[in-house]
Amino acid sequence: MNTATSSLKEKWDLLKSERPHLRIRNAAQELEVSEVELLATQIPESTIRLTNDFTAILSEVQTLGKVMGLTRNNECVHERKGVYLNPDFSSPHAGLFVNEDIDLRIFIGQWASGFAVIEKSDKMERKSLQFFGKDGEAIHKIYLTPASDEAAFDTLVAKFKSDDQSPVQPTTKTEVHHDERMDDEIDVQGFQSDWENLQDTHNFFGLLKKYSITRTQALRLAPSEYYAKSIEKDAIVTLLETAASKQIPIMVFVGNKGNIQIHTGEIKKTMWHENWYNILDPDFNMHLDMSKVAQTWIVRKPTEDGEVTSIEVFNEMGEIIVQFFGKRKPGIPELTSWKELVASLS
């Protein structure tokens, strides 16, 4: 172990002794390193480096049985329990798990490293698979639950254990550009016409690329307020509390550059904890830092199956935090109860 790594490990050990409940993500921020650099210092005591054959690893996660998948960005955490069934990595654009419980869109080109982690405390032992991007930020984590097969976990880890067990993890800073063109440089009339003639919600991203326009700029330049309307962020709380009380099934999308995780179904328990607004159900948890919400929009897009209505939430840099939809599938019109709920927010 080199001097720098030894020093980092010592700093974290000291931090843990002083504040044993501090999460690794927060510890990394305090120590001004990435999460993956901090995690790698725990090799070989509690962490094992895996090979970078991520599609093969993910394709065997179903052997673990019921687990908890966690995907987050800086403002929102999405935790969903279930079995990783029906992996599909046939598309060069995105890998898929499309199931009632575990529903993911995976951009594997953004994945750079993976680890098996065994965290021990006086009361419990927690096992997980954790995956990170080139910048050292977490992309996706998979935690064992009491219903998981621990023997299958050990088998998977042994199969995909890397020959490289160095406690050093190099990272690469990624440049994030949020530059926006001037409105008068954009063919606004063409953009609005194309929006009004959308046939599929997935084509909206292509529309942004076609007109070289950011997402929040697109909402601002929408054909009318009917298609995109800015609302107060408190409407998120009203939305989720009403969906819970009226048992309106919803879809919750949370993602980062390497993965999008989706929950579909009814929600039941919602509550505040400090600045976080939470959904706390047995198989689905969401934690949203409301203090970091900068923009909230009602967005409507036409499709061949009828209109699709969403609530889109952004941070101060214009990055999407979370999206809410009514439960729907291709070929099935949007729920009337969802439409009415969203309409009541404006």
Side-chain angles (χ1 to χ4, degrees), residues 203-236:
N203 295 338
F204 192 73
F205 179 72
L207 207 59
L208 303 182
K209 292 186 69 176
K210 177 181 177 180
Y211 290 94
S212 299
I213 187 171
T214 68
R215 197 175 188 101
T216 50
Q217 188 177 25
L219 301 184
R220 194 165 44 74
L221 298 177
S224 70
E225 268 202 348
Y226 178 76
Y227 287 92
K229 183 176 182 180
S230 178
I231 57 175
E232 295 297 319
K233 67 180 180 181
D234 292 346
I236 300 166

Side-chain angles (χ1 to χ4, degrees), residues 18-213:
E18 295 172 344
R19 296 152 66 190
H21 300 296
L22 184 67
R23 295 179 183 272
I24 184 172
R25 181 183 179 88
N26 302 113
Q29 291 171 344
E30 291 197 23
L31 296 172
E32 299 182 330
V33 296
S34 67
E35 183 178 344
V36 78
E37 289 173 273
L38 209 52
L39 182 66
T41 67
Q42 303 305 295
I43 297 172
E45 289 89 355
S46 61
T47 300
I48 298 168
R49 185 187 300 278
L50 304 177
T51 68
N52 287 359
D53 195 353
F54 305 120
T55 58
I57 295 171
L58 290 169
S59 295
E60 294 198 22
V61 170
Q62 68 183 68
T63 64
L64 307 183
K66 187 175 183 178
V67 293
M68 187 270 279
L70 185 154
T71 299
R72 68 167 300 157
N73 49 51
N74 288 327
E75 301 84 17
C76 193
V77 186
H78 190 296
E79 301 169 348
R80 189 63 169 85
K81 292 177 183 175
V83 182
Y84 278 62
L85 299 172
N86 307 315
D88 181 356
F89 294 98
S90 59
S91 168
H93 305 295
L96 303 172
F97 283 89
V98 181
N99 304 285
E100 187 173 331
D101 298 325
I102 301 299
D103 194 356
L104 306 175
R105 307 293 177 269
I106 299 167
F107 310 106
I108 212 73
Q110 298 290 336
W111 295 42
S113 59
F115 303 84
V117 182
I118 302 173
E119 302 166 88
K120 295 182 179 180
S121 67
D122 294 338
K123 297 181 179 179
M124 61 178 288
E125 180 178 84
R126 190 164 70 156
K127 295 183 177 182
S128 62
L129 303 173
Q130 303 190 14
F131 304 94
F132 298 83
K134 295 173 186 175
D135 59 359
E137 291 293 308
I139 288 177
H140 189 55
K141 299 181 180 181
I142 301 169
Y143 288 90
L144 267 60
T145 70
S148 303
D149 186 333
E150 290 203 31
F153 176 87
D154 296 339
T155 299
L156 185 150
V157 172
K159 180 176 180 179
F160 292 104
K161 181 178 179 179
S162 173
D163 293 335
D164 173 16
Q165 292 299 317
S166 165
V168 180
Q169 178 61 42
T171 60
T172 304
K173 292 279 186 181
T174 54
E175 294 292 328
V176 180
H177 299 285
H178 299 288
D179 297 337
E180 209 171 67
R181 295 168 68 207
M182 299 296 290
D183 290 357
D184 58 12
E185 297 175 356
I186 295 165
D187 177 5
V188 176
Q189 187 174 356
F191 167 69
Q192 292 177 340
S193 176
D194 282 356
W195 184 332
E196 291 174 319
N197 290 286
L198 279 170
Q199 296 295 303
D200 188 317
T201 57
H202 298 99
N203 295 338
F204 192 73
F205 179 72
L207 207 59
L208 303 182
K209 292 186 69 176
K210 177 181 177 180
Y211 290 94
S212 299
I213 187 171

